[in-house]
Amino acid sequence: MGDRWQTVDYIEIGIDGDGSNGVISPDGKQLFFNLFRRMADGKWNSDLYVMTRQENRWFDPRPVPGEINTERMESQVSVSRNNTLYFIGHLEGVRNNYGIYRSVFKNGRYQKPELLPAQVNSKAIDWTPWISPDEKILLWSSHREGGHGSGDLYAVYRDRSDSSQWSK
């Protein structure tokens, strides 16, 4: 610890598939990630999974409980201090068919995801959401018009008086 980098540890998830895009919850007790798997029909799917930490080991990989995982792809998860998840999921009619969603953790389960508003989701590709632990700042990458390259960083801020509203 201290001011030195630690050695890298490989985490065995113990289930078939390729885990990626892992993020540790702000309290350090959960590891969220997406798991890519080839389905029986030959197509690929990605669902969000979670593992819990006990002492210095990660255990119990399982699908995120609630209404998040579908037959489509869910990926690139970020988690706030109160366990709200931000992630990309299927969104018909936009480039690459992905949108950024938010799902609140309530009564031990994640609720139906809500699509974030137009200032976050454009008609271009929007991906890799990162939420601050207090949910006041959302960062993500986008190919939207007016950018400077092939994936610029954008930020929005939550309205202090109305937490359902985001800045431009």
Side-chain angles (χ1 to χ4, degrees):
M1 299 292 181
D3 60 353
R4 293 185 177 190
W5 289 95
Q6 304 297 305
T7 58
V8 174
D9 287 330
Y10 176 79
I11 298 173
E12 179 65 48
I13 59 175
I15 50 180
D16 289 335
D18 294 322
S20 67
N21 298 315
V23 62
I24 296 175
S25 61
D27 66 5
K29 295 179 180 177
Q30 294 180 301
L31 170 64
F32 292 87
F33 61 98
N34 59 278
L35 185 70
F36 286 99
R37 294 175 143 174
R38 186 177 296 272
M39 307 309 287
D41 62 5
K43 294 181 181 178
W44 284 92
N45 185 22
S46 175
D47 286 327
L48 299 182
Y49 276 68
V50 61
M51 294 176 79
T52 55
R53 190 177 91 186
Q54 297 172 4
E55 297 178 16
N56 288 327
R57 295 194 56 209
W58 294 97
F59 294 94
D60 192 25
R62 63 196 185 286
V64 167
E67 299 186 43
I68 290 181
N69 292 323
T70 68
E71 72 282 352
R72 304 285 185 132
M73 302 263 256
E74 292 80 34
S75 183
Q76 302 176 358
V77 66
S78 183
V79 60
S80 71
R81 189 177 297 120
N82 66 358
N83 289 320
T84 298
L85 296 183
Y86 289 75
F87 62 96
I88 64 167
H90 185 80
L91 177 61
E92 202 67 46
V94 297
R95 190 170 165 200
N96 240 27
N97 291 332
Y98 286 112
I100 298 176
Y101 289 84
R102 174 180 186 265
S103 180
V104 175
F105 188 71
K106 185 176 178 182
N107 299 324
R109 298 178 58 77
Y110 283 95
Q111 305 304 299
K112 182 177 180 180
E114 63 181 88
L115 182 66
L116 293 182
Q119 58 265 48
V120 175
N121 286 297
S122 67
K123 292 290 182 189
I125 300 171
D126 299 294
W127 77 101
T128 60
W130 175 85
I131 192 66
S132 62
D134 61 7
E135 274 192 278
K136 292 183 180 178
I137 303 169
L138 176 67
L139 302 175
W140 76 101
S141 297
S142 182
H143 280 285
R144 66 187 57 211
E145 283 189 33
H148 298 286
S150 63
D152 298 309
L153 291 177
Y154 289 84
V156 289
Y157 306 90
R158 290 202 61 182
D159 187 311
R160 293 176 197 259
S161 61
D162 181 356
S163 64
S164 67
Q165 298 297 312
W166 295 88
S167 68
K168 292 184 178 182

